[in-house]
Amino acid sequence: MPDLHLDVDRSRGVRAGLEHALREAIRALPPATRLPSSRALAAELGVARNTVAEAYSQLVQEGYLTGNSGAGTQTAGATQAPAQHVALVREPRVRYDFRPGRPDVSTFPVAAWHAATRQVLNTRPHEALQYDDARGPAYARAVLASYLRRVRGVQAAPDQIILCTGVRQAIGLFTQTLGRLGVRSFAYERPGQAAIPEQVKRAGLEARPIPVDKHGAVVEALGDAGGVLLYPASQFPMGVPLAPARRTEVLHWARSTGAFVLEDDYDGEFRYDRQPIGSLQGLAPDVVAYAGSASKTLAPGLRLGWLVVPLPLVDAVIDEKTWSDRHSDSLSQLTLAALIASGAYDRYVRSSRLRYRRRRDDLIRALGNYRVNGTAAGLQTVVDLPPEQDEHAVLRTLAEHGVETFGLSHFGAGLPPALVLGYGAQPQHAWAPALSALAAGLRSAHL
Amino acid sequence: MPDLHLDVDRSRGVRAGLEHALREAIRALPPATRLPSSRALAAELGVARNTVAEAYSQLVQEGYLTGNSGAGTQTAGATQAPAQHVALVREPRVRYDFRPGRPDVSTFPVAAWHAATRQVLNTRPHEALQYDDARGPAYARAVLASYLRRVRGVQAAPDQIILCTGVRQAIGLFTQTLGRLGVRSFAYERPGQAAIPEQVKRAGLEARPIPVDKHGAVVEALGDAGGVLLYPASQFPMGVPLAPARRTEVLHWARSTGAFVLEDDYDGEFRYDRQPIGSLQGLAPDVVAYAGSASKTLAPGLRLGWLVVPLPLVDAVIDEKTWSDRHSDSLSQLTLAALIASGAYDRYVRSSRLRYRRRRDDLIRALGNYRVNGTAAGLQTVVDLPPEQDEHAVLRTLAEHGVETFGLSHFGAGLPPALVLGYGAQPQHAWAPALSALAAGLRSAHL
């Protein structure tokens, strides 16, 4: 008979505390170990015998114990488990964050978000928090359709919009849909977001890189691909817009081959020296899908994204979304819609744009005579390195100064050495010291 | 030269208003239509010529127009699009909602949710809204690990938990992971959630039904399947718990064949007449994954779910999550964690349990002498129909009384006729009239 060492926490009731303590004890015992009788254990613990009997019976139901009061109670055979505890691994803290694709979340509009949440929860119909359409709440889609039309020239009826978990999911839904419809290959810009080729392959498609030059993606390289992901407003990470002739050319390609274009408008709201360039989707909503998010304008952690789908594909993408996660969080989507409808979203985007523009100007000054590209838009800039420089050596030197960023090689193979410096991520109050650290790091690297 | 009918909305500035109006007008024009000169249009509109020239230049950049001031400005070739507007289809309003799997969201704890959101946003570190671990915020996982251990006997280190978008996504992530690891077939209980077989097939696995009897899933039917989805606490929709011997048997099957079990604990918090039955995962965390959500305890629209993964599969599931949507909404997950940590979540679950228990008792009374099953737990009950009754005819009669629900046939083929009545969905204030409508409907159907 084992000595059970039961540590019964009575704060939640004797019965619950006893069951909990028994489960813990049983896990440490070999199978078929006989337990004390309910009478003996009750006496030992100073509780009612019935309490012990009920706890034993409960654990028989749960499979921890076998037997009954007649034959004696024993541990069941399947309760030993290997040790399950793993230390929590935390990413090392980045002191000066120049990683591209990250906004400053320290200025997140907390008060406006609260007000919008309150408005949603206090005025919503009950059904708003029930299971909803796979595309997300109809009201949120209607507000977004009008916002995207006004700000980005997107042509979308609310029924064509699938609210989703960021652009990552939008790309997944779209490429999976094409895969199920029989498309074999999908092109992407190189350099581009590092995750794309793997994501395309996981959708069952061949991932085909196309090059990028000073006019943006070289669309004549598209060949017989069944679709392509493009950054028309501002190439990631190079920052150039897709030239007008290329826009026309890619639409012609899509229409004549039956292919579809997916426009990743990842930071279309941030353009500094001129009007933003309208979306490609607005020109050809029949062959261009449009993906965007609030990841750069509000915060990536909210995972608020959207996909505007050409009509012939809407049903298939709804299917894909339904089977992947039913729909995305309605409350945060309705909150975003309230933020847009009240004008608070536009105000925050405007103030962010001014802040980032100042940072870009600071960065260009700090970089002195280095050759800097792609400064007209977005949240990052590309600094060419001399051809003999080793990107990784420069990144290591910067890391010694507490600066984290990426080399261009992170975004595609076969590219000249360069740094991709994001100026969004750093919290505003630590921007000046970050810039000094970057300058010091670049001096150490003899750049 | 077309008459452009430009309706310039100057509220957002003449330049932006003019560009918007031009885009709309150009969409209605055939390709290669020549536009008025910037001078002529400026005079017509009473704006500066430079404003028109800049707007034309912008639309050339965007691909709406071609040419320059010398050769004349023309519409480009690719701007006509088919009509894009589709009427918003809304689901018809259900008057008396007896659909299973839906909680009462009219009692959602608005004030507690606000307080928890405020706490998160006012005390968070800045990084909390930045891109995060694919599993979700470490703090939220730590709180959940302790909650699941306390309430459901789940054994999980925070590192084994993947926060996700509801149980639907949890099942998708798990089955896709098994598929990539080479598993060919996956079993599921029939009856069960209607979506499962299709979701399993989409993960590339053969979907194999196993029957259910009064002891729960018939696990001896598992054969050489590589995994199985089970409802151990309370079979959906039959409501029976998996019998102790079956628990032992299925763990033996998993360990001896190398298969994995996925436990869907879809409403483990709701058990009325006795202690809740602890999770199967707690008995064998090395071979059982555990999926749960706040969809029944708080609201489905929040899409708050979690998947506890056996250690050997953690990395593969993290990959799957990373490529599907990077991670889920951090703010709502941290808000849930704050709600749990403050005790507000437990209080709300407790009050909901009492409310649902009263509804269950009301329902049993209203059903009089009908044979009712699965009343000990969950949010639904199964009412047997006489063998000669046609489920669809009964459902039609109920619909005439404003009552929407499902027949057992919705949850799997080859089952005896029965109704699956959910008593969670109806808002509290309309529970009594709903019950009267149900009783009237059943009388009309001669049940």
Side-chain angles (χ1 to χ4, degrees), chain A residues 15 19 22 38 50-69 73, chain B residues 244 274-275 277:
Chain A
R15 163 82 187 279
E19 280 178 20
L22 279 169
S38 54
N50 211 32
T51 305
V52 177
E54 282 170 9
Y56 277 5
S57 154
Q58 173 75 16
L59 295 181
V60 168
Q61 291 297 316
E62 296 182 6
Y64 284 83
L65 298 173
T66 59
N68 55 51
S69 53
T73 306
Chain B
R274 40 169 300 171
Q275 295 274 107
I277 293 180

Side-chain angles (χ1 to χ4, degrees), chain A residues 129-132 326-330, chain B residues 101-103 105 166 293-304:
Chain A
L129 295 181
Q130 201 50 274
Y131 290 109
D132 208 325
R326 214 158 162 159
H327 62 85
S328 295
D329 176 12
S330 301
Chain B
R102 288 168 180 249
V105 292
S293 79
S295 292
K296 312 295 184 269
T297 51
L298 279 177
L302 297 174
R303 313 303 301 120
L304 286 164

Side-chain angles (χ1 to χ4, degrees), chain A residues 24 27 58 62 84 87-88 118 129 131 149 155 159-160 168 247 274-276 278 283 301 322 330, chain B residues 15 24 27 58 62 78 84 87-88 118 129 149 155 159-160 168 247 274 276 278 283 301 322 330:
Chain A
E24 298 292 315
R27 286 186 183 121
Q58 173 75 16
E62 296 182 6
Q84 288 287 320
L88 266 178
R118 179 166 303 111
L129 295 181
Y131 290 109
R149 184 173 195 98
Q155 291 194 68
D159 276 5
Q160 289 173 269
R168 176 70 61 91
R247 290 187 157 224
R274 39 168 301 171
Q275 294 275 106
L283 274 174
T322 301
S330 301
Chain B
R15 165 80 186 279
E24 299 291 316
R27 286 184 183 124
Q58 173 74 17
E62 296 182 5
Q84 289 287 320
L88 267 176
R118 179 166 305 110
L129 295 181
R149 184 175 194 96
Q155 292 193 68
D159 277 6
Q160 290 173 267
R168 175 71 62 90
R247 289 186 156 225
R274 40 169 300 171
L283 273 176
T322 301
S330 302

Side-chain angles (χ1 to χ4, degrees), chain B residues 298-438:
Chain B
L298 279 177
L302 297 174
R303 313 303 301 120
L304 286 164
W306 40 86
L307 175 63
V308 178
V309 182
L311 286 180
L313 300 180
V314 170
D315 285 342
V317 175
I318 288 175
D319 258 19
E320 211 59 57
K321 178 69 178 165
T322 301
W323 297 112
S324 97
D325 59 7
R326 215 158 162 159
H327 63 86
S328 294
D329 177 11
S330 302
L331 179 56
S332 61
Q333 289 167 349
L334 289 166
T335 303
L336 174 66
L339 218 54
I340 292 174
S342 74
Y345 186 74
D346 283 58
R347 278 194 298 279
Y348 183 62
V349 169
R350 219 154 36 229
S351 70
S352 301
R353 192 187 294 125
L354 282 173
R355 206 165 49 243
Y356 293 135
R357 186 190 170 137
R358 278 196 293 266
R359 290 192 188 187
R360 180 204 59 167
D361 295 344
D362 294 342
L363 183 63
I364 292 174
R365 258 194 309 277
L367 291 172
N369 293 323
Y370 302 121
R371 211 186 127 187
V372 180
N373 307 293
T375 56
L379 299 176
Q380 70 283 327
T381 190
V382 178
V383 182
D384 291 345
L385 296 177
E388 69 281 6
Q389 272 279 5
D390 175 23
E391 253 183 42
H392 291 287
V394 175
L395 291 174
R396 272 195 305 276
T397 306
L398 289 175
E400 284 160 17
H401 288 76
V403 170
E404 177 162 358
T405 186
F406 287 101
L408 188 55
S409 63
H410 180 72
F411 303 97
L415 301 162
L419 297 177
V420 183
L421 294 173
Y423 46 89
Q426 197 65 20
Q428 187 61 35
H429 67 269
W431 171 241
L435 211 51
S436 307
L438 175 67

